[in-house]
Amino acid sequence: MVLEAAAETRHDLFAKAEKLLAQRDVEQALKFFDLAERAACDPDRCAAGRWTCYMLSGRFENAWRESDSIFARGKPDPNRYWNGQSPADKRVLIRCLHGLGDTIQFIRYAPILRRMARSVAIEAQPNLRKLLAASELADFVFTWGEREPEWDAQVEVIELPRMFRTTVDSIPNRIPYLRAPRKRPGVGDGFGLPRVGVVWSASSYNPARSIPPEQIASLFDTPGVDIFSLQTGPERLALAVPSLQNENADLLLTAGIVNELDLLITVDTMMAHLAGALGVPVWMLLPCQSDWRWMLKRSDSPWYPTMRLMRQPSPGDWPAVIQTARADLLDLVRLRSRKCEEESGTTSHC
């Protein structure tokens, strides 16, 4: 009975910690993860919870210490490849085993790694291979099922920030670090109608990230902009709006389309990372409980200088976010028109 009571206490403490984390009360969550671990809860699970708390609050240094503790305990993780050793003078293979957005966000470290290592190869997802190769981030880019080069050390792409002990102030955020052809020169420099893309639905991984199409529809009625859907999947058929997206397009082609936009408005999905990595202005519409990488209460992102974050004020309140986005889009149109008038002296070309 004593053991059963202790187990219940461990469970309750950990459940309380997770609830506090979900509410984004990170300081209280940290305390309860500590209490749960002292009550003999799985230390790796508690460390993972604290890791998320620290990343949300921008204390990356503390998060890496939690990662180090998990690594030191030696519990196998099929998504962890780096053994903690320096990559200097080694043939390094970066494996991309998480989502497309993860690859795009963290592949920024490949050129830094390349300056240290003897060579760097990237094993990328099939529809990212051409874009990464065109961006010249590594010596060799291949995809699953193709010939694997010889290597001395490997790292999963999401491990790279820990390898470099990244802090909020040391994030390598020079953009663009992905490159794609631009067919329409001078985008953003002229005074034609702003060209805006919209994505409203993310993957099924986290339905809270997606916006019901009937709620996003008002954005497409914004006057003074050329506005298009870049939505993929069956959700693209939910709104009868102009689309720029080819359902089967390689991401090199998609990147070329995004490069021609003046602004992308999107939920938390791969397209947000793609625009940010290309240096295209992007407004990201976030749920109240957003992912750790967007931290807490910030309206900007240290990962992407051209990104602006618009957050739900309360869980599920997408109308408030869309109202803000539409109002700011109208302000953008007015500012653009005013600048055109000042420079041309007439409204005929604005």
Side-chain angles (χ1 to χ4, degrees), residues 281-293:
V282 52
W283 295 353
M284 186 156 60
L285 315 181
L286 290 175
C288 193
Q289 297 174 357
S290 59
D291 190 77
W292 61 263
R293 70 198 73 206

Side-chain angles (χ1 to χ4, degrees), residues 284-341:
M284 186 156 60
L285 315 181
L286 290 175
C288 193
Q289 297 174 357
S290 59
D291 190 77
W292 61 263
R293 70 198 73 206
W294 313 124
M295 295 186 277
L296 298 172
K297 300 180 181 179
R298 293 186 69 136
S299 60
D300 67 332
S301 170
W303 295 98
Y304 299 112
T306 61
M307 179 176 284
R308 179 181 172 195
L309 307 178
M310 298 183 178
R311 302 174 183 268
Q312 286 180 346
S314 59
D317 191 358
W318 285 121
V321 180
I322 295 163
Q323 184 179 9
T324 297
R326 192 172 189 275
D328 289 358
L329 192 54
L330 287 169
D331 285 343
L332 184 68
V333 171
R334 285 191 285 267
L335 286 171
R336 190 183 182 97
S337 178
R338 188 178 305 128
K339 184 177 180 182
C340 175
E341 292 176 23

Side-chain angles (χ1 to χ4, degrees), residues 29-52:
L30 284 167
K31 293 178 183 178
F32 275 88
F33 281 124
D34 285 343
L35 289 171
E37 185 169 351
R38 287 201 290 271
C41 192
D42 183 342
D44 284 354
R45 293 181 70 197
C46 295
R50 288 192 297 267
W51 184 95
T52 303

Side-chain angles (χ1 to χ4, degrees), residues 5-23:
E8 183 180 359
T9 300
R10 291 195 298 270
H11 171 79
D12 291 345
L13 290 169
F14 188 80
K16 178 67 172 177
E18 287 198 311
K19 182 178 179 180
L20 288 163
L21 175 55
Q23 295 169 345

Side-chain angles (χ1 to χ4, degrees), residues 23-327:
Q23 295 169 345
R24 296 303 187 254
D25 187 348
V26 297
E27 299 306 325
Q28 287 299 313
L30 284 167
K31 293 178 183 178
F32 275 88
F33 281 124
D34 285 343
L35 289 171
E37 185 169 351
R38 287 201 290 271
C41 192
D42 183 342
D44 284 354
R45 293 181 70 197
C46 295
R50 288 192 297 267
W51 184 95
T52 303
C53 290
Y54 287 133
M55 294 302 281
L56 279 166
S57 56
R59 289 172 281 180
F60 292 6
E61 307 94 316
N62 295 27
W64 306 140
R65 286 196 285 272
E66 297 294 346
S67 298
D68 294 342
S69 297
I70 295 173
F71 181 80
R73 283 189 284 268
K75 188 174 181 179
D77 184 336
N79 291 327
R80 232 187 264 135
Y81 284 87
W82 182 49
N83 62 8
Q85 296 181 357
S86 169
D89 298 322
K90 292 184 172 67
R91 295 170 297 180
V92 179
L93 173 57
I94 300 174
R95 297 191 186 273
C96 303
L97 303 178
H98 286 78
L100 295 171
D102 294 312
T103 296
I104 293 171
Q105 180 174 4
F106 300 118
I107 206 64
R108 69 182 70 213
Y109 290 90
I112 303 172
L113 196 58
R114 199 178 186 186
R115 293 194 289 269
M116 302 170 60
R118 189 187 315 172
S119 64
V120 172
I122 300 172
E123 181 189 42
Q125 294 92 334
N127 53 350
L128 262 179
R129 183 178 62 81
K130 290 182 181 178
L131 176 58
L132 297 188
S135 300
E136 300 181 344
L137 299 171
D139 299 285
F140 184 58
V141 180
F142 68 106
T143 192
W144 307 323
E146 296 181 346
R147 180 184 65 85
E148 184 175 296
E150 294 184 357
W151 51 269
D152 307 307
Q154 57 181 338
V155 59
E156 210 284 326
V157 69
I158 208 168
E159 295 181 291
L160 288 169
R162 174 180 163 235
M163 174 185 280
F164 289 99
R165 313 304 280 197
T166 300
T167 66
V168 171
D169 294 328
S170 69
I171 291 172
N173 60 4
R174 292 184 63 183
I175 54 171
Y177 58 87
L178 294 186
R179 291 174 173 80
R182 176 179 285 180
K183 297 178 182 178
R184 199 166 64 104
V187 173
D189 299 327
F191 292 107
L193 295 182
R195 193 172 172 89
V196 179
V198 178
V199 179
W200 62 85
S201 183
S203 70
S204 59
Y205 167 73
N206 184 354
R209 296 181 183 180
S210 297
I211 302 176
E214 65 274 11
Q215 294 187 23
I216 199 80
S218 62
L219 270 185
F220 288 92
D221 296 329
T222 306
V225 296
D226 279 335
I227 192 162
F228 304 89
S229 164
L230 270 76
Q231 183 63 52
T232 59
E235 295 82 6
R236 69 195 293 256
L237 303 176
L239 292 176
V241 294
S243 176
L244 293 176
Q245 186 63 279
N246 182 330
E247 188 65 29
N248 300 311
D250 183 276
L251 282 175
L252 179 61
L253 298 176
T254 301
I257 293 170
V258 173
N259 241 352
E260 296 186 7
L261 298 176
D262 296 295
L263 173 66
L264 176 68
I265 303 175
T266 178
V267 294
D268 185 359
T269 188
M270 177 275 298
M271 293 293 285
H273 294 277
L274 183 60
L278 290 166
V280 173
V282 52
W283 295 353
M284 186 156 60
L285 315 181
L286 290 175
C288 193
Q289 297 174 357
S290 59
D291 190 77
W292 61 263
R293 70 198 73 206
W294 313 124
M295 295 186 277
L296 298 172
K297 300 180 181 179
R298 293 186 69 136
S299 60
D300 67 332
S301 170
W303 295 98
Y304 299 112
T306 61
M307 179 176 284
R308 179 181 172 195
L309 307 178
M310 298 183 178
R311 302 174 183 268
Q312 286 180 346
S314 59
D317 191 358
W318 285 121
V321 180
I322 295 163
Q323 184 179 9
T324 297
R326 192 172 189 275

